[in-house]
Amino acid sequence: GASVIWKRWPFENFIEISKHLIKQNFIPVFILGPQERNLERSLKKEFSKNKIIVVVSNDPLKTIEISRSCLAGISNDTGCGHLIASSGIPVLTLFGPTDSNKFSPLGNEKNVTISSQSIFKSKNIETIPVDLVLKEIKKIFN
């Protein structure tokens, strides 16, 4: 999610990434805000309980604590993404209309930023393809 719709990479893309990670024997963890309960229902319909973990939190410290148990994170340009980054794990952050040079998380040399403006000359985050995200997340894991 994100506070504004134009900063959100399509939810279906996160589902596709998750399916790929499950095939690689990873367990995706979704950290949702309290306003994203509809996404929780969608995830539970899409995946069985043992395939993914869904956590709804409005507590920044809980978000950081959960993130510490993960290998890496993928996030839109959001406050939650910065909380995940502050946990110390590498984060792949997706940017559309905002300036990735100004707002990319700091603190981990493995952090990756994908900006639709830089790569595709578009402020539309939806121009970022799933294949590119998969390619970059593989680099983080190696």
Side-chain angles (χ1 to χ4, degrees):
S3 60
V4 290
I5 195 163
W6 57 85
K7 290 172 72 173
R8 294 180 192 158
W9 198 47
F11 185 65
E12 299 78 29
N13 292 352
F14 285 102
I15 289 175
E16 190 173 336
I17 296 289
S18 297
K19 288 179 178 179
H20 177 81
L21 292 173
I22 289 167
K23 287 178 186 174
Q24 303 298 317
N25 295 316
F26 292 104
I27 299 172
V29 176
F30 286 84
I31 302 173
L32 306 174
Q35 305 300 322
E36 299 173 321
R37 290 245 179 237
N38 61 323
L39 298 179
E40 180 182 21
R41 287 187 291 276
S42 297
L43 288 168
K44 289 182 178 179
K45 283 182 188 175
E46 188 73 39
F47 300 99
S48 66
K49 288 182 183 179
N50 61 344
K51 300 272 186 193
I52 65 167
I53 298 170
V54 179
V55 179
V56 178
S57 174
N58 63 353
D59 179 354
L61 295 178
K62 182 177 179 184
T63 298
I64 294 168
E65 180 184 327
I66 292 163
S67 299
R68 284 188 178 133
S69 67
C70 299
L71 295 176
I74 303 172
S75 178
N76 297 308
D77 170 30
T78 66
C80 184
H82 287 281
L83 292 172
I84 293 167
S86 73
S87 74
I89 66 170
V91 176
L92 188 156
T93 307
L94 305 169
F95 285 86
T98 51
D99 184 349
S100 62
N101 292 322
K102 184 175 181 180
F103 296 110
S104 289
L106 302 172
N108 190 317
E109 61 191 32
K110 285 190 162 190
N111 286 349
V112 175
T113 296
I114 299 176
S115 169
S116 63
Q117 289 185 58
S118 298
I119 300 171
F120 303 104
K121 308 301 181 220
S122 171
K123 290 187 175 188
N124 185 347
I125 195 169
E126 293 184 19
T127 61
I128 299 171
V130 169
D131 290 345
L132 177 58
V133 174
L134 287 170
K135 177 182 162 192
E136 293 300 324
I137 201 72
K138 283 180 188 175
K139 290 180 188 177
I140 289 173
F141 288 149
N142 292 332

